[in-house]
Coordinates of all heavy atoms in Angstrom, one line a residue:
E12 N 9.2 5.8 0.8 CA 8.3 5.7 2.0 C 6.9 5.9 1.6 O 6.6 6.6 0.6 CB 8.8 6.8 3.0 CG 10.2 6.6 3.6 CD 10.5 7.8 4.5 OE1 10.2 8.9 4.2 OE2 11.2 7.5 5.5
L13 N 6.0 5.4 2.4 CA 4.5 5.5 2.1 C 4.1 6.9 2.0 O 3.2 7.3 1.3 CB 3.7 4.7 3.1 CG 3.7 3.2 3.0 CD1 2.9 2.6 4.1 CD2 3.2 2.7 1.6
D14 N 4.6 7.8 2.9 CA 4.1 9.2 2.9 C 4.5 9.9 1.6 O 4.0 11.1 1.4 CB 4.6 9.9 4.1 CG 6.1 10.1 4.2 OD1 6.8 9.7 3.2 OD2 6.6 10.7 5.2
R15 N 5.3 9.3 0.7 CA 5.5 9.9 -0.6 C 4.2 9.9 -1.4 O 4.0 10.7 -2.2 CB 6.6 9.2 -1.3 CG 8.0 9.2 -0.7 CD 8.5 10.6 -0.4 NE 8.0 11.1 0.9 CZ 8.0 12.4 1.3 NH1 8.5 13.3 0.5 NH2 7.6 12.8 2.5
L16 N 3.4 8.9 -1.2 CA 2.1 8.7 -1.9 C 1.1 9.7 -1.3 O 0.3 10.3 -2.0 CB 1.6 7.3 -1.8 CG 2.4 6.2 -2.5 CD1 1.8 4.8 -2.1 CD2 2.3 6.4 -4.0
G17 N 1.0 9.8 0.0 CA 0.0 10.7 0.7 C 0.3 10.8 2.1 O 0.9 9.9 2.7
R18 N 0.0 11.9 2.7 CA 0.3 12.2 4.1 C -0.8 11.7 5.1 O -0.5 11.5 6.3 CB 0.6 13.7 4.3 CG 1.8 14.2 3.6 CD 3.1 13.5 4.0 NE 3.4 13.7 5.3 CZ 4.3 14.6 5.8 NH1 4.8 15.4 4.9 NH2 4.5 14.8 7.0
S19 N -2.0 11.6 4.6 CA -3.1 11.3 5.6 C -3.4 9.8 5.5 O -3.2 9.1 4.4 CB -4.4 12.1 5.3 OG -5.0 11.6 4.1
L20 N -3.9 9.2 6.6 CA -4.2 7.8 6.6 C -5.3 7.5 5.6 O -5.3 6.5 4.9 CB -4.6 7.4 8.0 CG -5.0 5.9 8.2 CD1 -3.9 5.0 7.8 CD2 -5.5 5.7 9.6
S21 N -6.3 8.4 5.6 CA -7.5 8.1 4.7 C -7.0 8.1 3.2 O -7.5 7.2 2.4 CB -8.6 9.2 4.9 OG -8.1 10.5 4.6
D22 N -6.1 9.0 2.8 CA -5.6 9.0 1.5 C -4.8 7.7 1.2 O -5.0 7.1 0.1 CB -4.6 10.1 1.2 CG -5.4 11.5 1.1 OD1 -6.6 11.4 0.8 OD2 -4.7 12.5 1.2
L23 N -4.0 7.2 2.1 CA -3.2 6.0 1.9 C -4.1 4.8 1.8 O -3.9 3.9 1.0 CB -2.2 5.8 3.1 CG -1.0 6.7 3.1 CD1 -0.2 6.5 4.3 CD2 -0.1 6.5 1.8
I24 N -5.2 4.8 2.6 CA -6.2 3.7 2.5 C -6.8 3.6 1.1 O -6.9 2.6 0.5 CB -7.2 3.8 3.6 CG1 -6.6 3.5 5.0 CG2 -8.4 2.8 3.4 CD1 -7.5 3.8 6.2
R25 N -7.3 4.8 0.7 CA -7.9 4.8 -0.7 C -7.0 4.4 -1.8 O -7.3 3.7 -2.7 CB -8.5 6.2 -0.9 CG -9.8 6.5 -0.2 CD -10.4 7.8 -0.7 NE -9.7 9.0 -0.4 CZ -9.8 9.7 0.6 NH1 -10.8 9.4 1.5 NH2 -9.1 10.8 0.9
I26 N -5.7 4.9 -1.7 CA -4.7 4.6 -2.7 C -4.5 3.1 -2.7 O -4.4 2.4 -3.7 CB -3.4 5.4 -2.5 CG1 -3.7 6.9 -2.7 CG2 -2.3 4.9 -3.4 CD1 -2.6 7.8 -2.2
A27 N -4.3 2.5 -1.5 CA -4.0 1.1 -1.4 C -5.2 0.2 -1.9 O -5.0 -0.8 -2.6 CB -3.8 0.7 0.1
E28 N -6.4 0.7 -1.6 CA -7.6 0.0 -2.1 C -7.6 0.0 -3.7 O -8.0 -0.9 -4.3 CB -8.9 0.6 -1.5 CG -9.1 0.1 -0.1 CD -9.5 -1.4 -0.1 OE1 -10.6 -1.8 -0.5 OE2 -8.6 -2.2 0.3
W29 N -7.2 1.2 -4.2 CA -7.2 1.4 -5.7 C -6.2 0.4 -6.3 O -6.5 -0.3 -7.3 CB -6.9 2.8 -6.0 CG -7.2 3.1 -7.5 CD1 -8.3 3.6 -8.1 CD2 -6.2 3.0 -8.6 NE1 -8.1 3.8 -9.4 CE2 -6.8 3.4 -9.8 CE3 -4.9 2.6 -8.6 CZ2 -6.2 3.4 -11.0 CZ3 -4.2 2.6 -9.9 CH2 -4.9 3.0 -11.0
F30 N -5.0 0.3 -5.7 CA -4.0 -0.6 -6.2 C -4.5 -2.0 -6.1 O -4.3 -2.8 -7.1 CB -2.7 -0.5 -5.3 CG -1.9 0.8 -5.6 CD1 -0.9 1.2 -4.7 CD2 -2.1 1.5 -6.7 CE1 -0.1 2.3 -5.0 CE2 -1.3 2.7 -7.0 CZ -0.3 3.0 -6.1
K31 N -5.1 -2.4 -5.0 CA -5.6 -3.8 -4.9 C -6.6 -4.1 -5.9 O -6.6 -5.2 -6.5 CB -6.1 -3.9 -3.4 CG -6.6 -5.4 -3.2 CD -7.1 -5.5 -1.7 CE -7.6 -6.9 -1.5 NZ -8.2 -7.0 -0.1
A32 N -7.6 -3.2 -6.1 CA -8.6 -3.4 -7.1 C -8.1 -3.6 -8.5 O -8.7 -4.3 -9.3 CB -9.6 -2.2 -7.0
H33 N -7.0 -2.9 -8.8 CA -6.4 -3.0 -10.1 C -5.2 -4.0 -10.2 O -4.5 -4.0 -11.1 CB -5.9 -1.6 -10.6 CG -7.0 -0.7 -10.9 ND1 -7.8 0.0 -9.9 CD2 -7.6 -0.3 -12.1 CE1 -8.7 0.7 -10.5 NE2 -8.6 0.6 -11.8
Q34 N -5.1 -4.8 -9.1 CA -4.1 -5.9 -9.0 C -2.7 -5.3 -9.2 O -1.8 -5.9 -9.9 CB -4.3 -7.0 -10.1 CG -5.7 -7.7 -9.9 CD -5.9 -8.8 -10.9 OE1 -5.6 -8.6 -12.1 NE2 -6.4 -9.9 -10.4
I35 N -2.4 -4.2 -8.5 CA -1.1 -3.5 -8.5 C -0.5 -3.7 -7.2 O -1.1 -3.4 -6.1 CB -1.2 -2.0 -8.8 CG1 -2.0 -1.8 -10.2 CG2 0.1 -1.4 -8.8 CD1 -1.3 -2.4 -11.4
D36 N 0.7 -4.2 -7.1 CA 1.4 -4.4 -5.8 C 2.1 -3.1 -5.4 O 2.3 -2.2 -6.2 CB 2.4 -5.5 -5.9 CG 1.7 -6.9 -5.8 OD1 1.0 -7.1 -4.8 OD2 1.9 -7.7 -6.7
L37 N 2.4 -3.0 -4.1 CA 3.0 -1.8 -3.6 C 4.2 -2.2 -2.7 O 4.2 -3.1 -1.9 CB 2.0 -1.1 -2.7 CG 2.5 0.1 -1.9 CD1 3.0 1.2 -2.9 CD2 1.4 0.7 -1.0
V38 N 5.3 -1.5 -3.0 CA 6.5 -1.7 -2.2 C 7.0 -0.4 -1.6 O 7.1 0.6 -2.4 CB 7.7 -2.3 -3.1 CG1 9.0 -2.3 -2.4 CG2 7.3 -3.7 -3.6
S39 N 7.3 -0.4 -0.3 CA 8.0 0.8 0.3 C 9.3 0.3 0.8 O 9.4 -0.5 1.7 CB 7.1 1.3 1.5 OG 7.9 2.2 2.2
T40 N 10.4 0.8 0.2 CA 11.7 0.2 0.5 C 12.2 0.5 1.9 O 12.8 -0.3 2.5 CB 12.7 0.8 -0.5 OG1 12.8 2.2 -0.4 CG2 12.4 0.4 -2.0
E41 N 11.8 1.7 2.4 CA 12.3 2.1 3.7 C 11.5 1.4 4.8 O 12.1 1.0 5.9 CB 12.1 3.6 3.9 CG 12.7 4.2 5.2 CD 14.2 4.1 5.2 OE1 14.8 3.9 4.1 OE2 14.8 4.3 6.3
E42 N 10.2 1.1 4.6 CA 9.4 0.5 5.7 C 9.2 -1.0 5.5 O 8.4 -1.6 6.3 CB 8.0 1.2 5.7 CG 8.1 2.7 6.1 CD 7.2 3.6 5.4 OE1 6.9 3.3 4.2 OE2 6.9 4.7 5.9
S43 N 9.9 -1.6 4.5 CA 9.8 -3.0 4.3 C 8.4 -3.5 4.1 O 8.0 -4.6 4.5 CB 10.4 -3.8 5.5 OG 11.8 -3.4 5.7
I44 N 7.6 -2.8 3.4 CA 6.3 -3.2 3.0 C 6.4 -3.6 1.5 O 6.8 -2.9 0.7 CB 5.2 -2.0 3.1 CG1 5.0 -1.7 4.6 CG2 3.9 -2.4 2.4 CD1 4.1 -0.4 4.7
D45 N 6.0 -4.9 1.3 CA 6.1 -5.5 0.0 C 5.0 -6.4 -0.3 O 5.0 -7.6 0.2 CB 7.5 -6.2 -0.1 CG 7.7 -6.8 -1.5 OD1 6.8 -6.7 -2.4 OD2 8.8 -7.3 -1.7
T46 N 3.9 -6.0 -1.0 CA 2.8 -6.8 -1.2 C 2.9 -7.9 -2.3 O 2.0 -8.6 -2.6 CB 1.5 -6.0 -1.5 OG1 1.7 -5.3 -2.8 CG2 1.3 -4.9 -0.4
T47 N 4.2 -8.0 -2.8 CA 4.4 -9.1 -3.7 C 4.7 -10.3 -3.0 O 4.8 -11.4 -3.5 CB 5.6 -8.8 -4.7 OG1 6.8 -8.7 -3.9 CG2 5.5 -7.4 -5.4
T48 N 4.9 -10.2 -1.6 CA 5.1 -11.4 -0.8 C 3.8 -11.7 0.0 O 3.0 -10.9 0.2 CB 6.2 -11.1 0.2 OG1 5.8 -10.1 1.2 CG2 7.5 -10.6 -0.5
S49 N 3.7 -13.0 0.4 CA 2.5 -13.4 1.2 C 2.4 -12.6 2.5 O 1.3 -12.2 2.9 CB 2.6 -14.9 1.4 OG 3.8 -15.2 2.1
T50 N 3.5 -12.4 3.1 CA 3.5 -11.6 4.4 C 3.1 -10.1 4.1 O 2.3 -9.5 4.8 CB 4.9 -11.6 5.1 OG1 5.3 -13.0 5.3 CG2 4.9 -10.8 6.4
G51 N 3.7 -9.6 3.1 CA 3.4 -8.2 2.7 C 2.0 -7.9 2.3 O 1.5 -6.8 2.5
R52 N 1.3 -9.0 1.8 CA -0.1 -8.8 1.4 C -1.0 -8.5 2.6 O -2.2 -8.1 2.4 CB -0.6 -10.0 0.6 CG 0.0 -10.0 -0.8 CD -0.8 -11.0 -1.7 NE -0.4 -12.3 -1.4 CZ 0.7 -12.9 -1.9 NH1 1.6 -12.3 -2.6 NH2 0.9 -14.2 -1.6
L53 N -0.5 -8.7 3.8 CA -1.3 -8.4 5.0 C -1.6 -6.9 5.0 O -2.6 -6.5 5.5 CB -0.5 -8.8 6.2 CG -1.1 -8.5 7.6 CD1 -2.4 -9.3 7.8 CD2 -0.2 -8.8 8.7
F54 N -0.7 -6.1 4.4 CA -0.9 -4.7 4.4 C -2.3 -4.4 3.6 O -3.0 -3.5 4.1 CB 0.2 -4.0 3.6 CG 0.0 -2.5 3.4 CD1 0.2 -1.6 4.4 CD2 -0.4 -2.1 2.1 CE1 0.0 -0.2 4.2 CE2 -0.6 -0.7 1.9 CZ -0.4 0.2 2.9
F55 N -2.5 -5.1 2.5 CA -3.8 -4.8 1.8 C -5.0 -5.3 2.6 O -6.0 -4.7 2.5 CB -3.7 -5.6 0.5 CG -3.0 -4.8 -0.7 CD1 -2.5 -5.5 -1.7 CD2 -2.9 -3.4 -0.6 CE1 -1.9 -4.8 -2.8 CE2 -2.3 -2.7 -1.7 CZ -1.8 -3.4 -2.7
H56 N -4.8 -6.4 3.4 CA -5.9 -6.8 4.2 C -6.3 -5.8 5.3 O -7.4 -5.6 5.6 CB -5.6 -8.2 4.8 CG -5.5 -9.3 3.8 ND1 -6.5 -9.7 3.0 CD2 -4.5 -10.2 3.5 CE1 -6.2 -10.7 2.3 NE2 -4.9 -11.0 2.6
I57 N -5.3 -5.2 5.9 CA -5.5 -4.2 6.9 C -6.1 -3.0 6.3 O -7.1 -2.5 6.9 CB -4.2 -3.9 7.6 CG1 -3.6 -5.1 8.4 CG2 -4.3 -2.7 8.6 CD1 -2.3 -4.9 9.0
S58 N -5.6 -2.5 5.2 CA -6.2 -1.3 4.6 C -7.6 -1.6 4.1 O -8.5 -0.7 4.2 CB -5.3 -0.9 3.4 OG -5.3 -1.8 2.4

């Protein structure tokens, strides 16, 4: 789950931006977030 990375929205945004900047994808198995897919990459756009 995403909250395993961080509990606050601001922390999750910073972490997601760091992943994106380093071309690292993110998958949350419980929440069906998967930025390896074209649909899942919307998560990075929102963050």
Side-chain angles (χ1 to χ4, degrees):
E12 293 178 322
L13 284 179
D14 66 0
R15 299 304 87 195
L16 293 172
R18 295 301 295 267
S19 73
L20 178 60
S21 59
D22 284 343
L23 287 173
I24 290 171
R25 282 193 292 269
I26 293 166
E28 281 294 284
W29 191 92
F30 284 165
K31 182 180 178 182
H33 289 78
Q34 298 182 320
I35 304 297
D36 281 307
L37 174 63
V38 172
S39 170
T40 62
E41 186 70 14
E42 291 141 334
S43 300
I44 293 173
D45 183 354
T46 66
T47 68
T48 68
S49 56
T50 302
R52 285 193 286 279
L53 179 62
F54 174 79
F55 275 156
H56 291 303
I57 293 172
S58 66

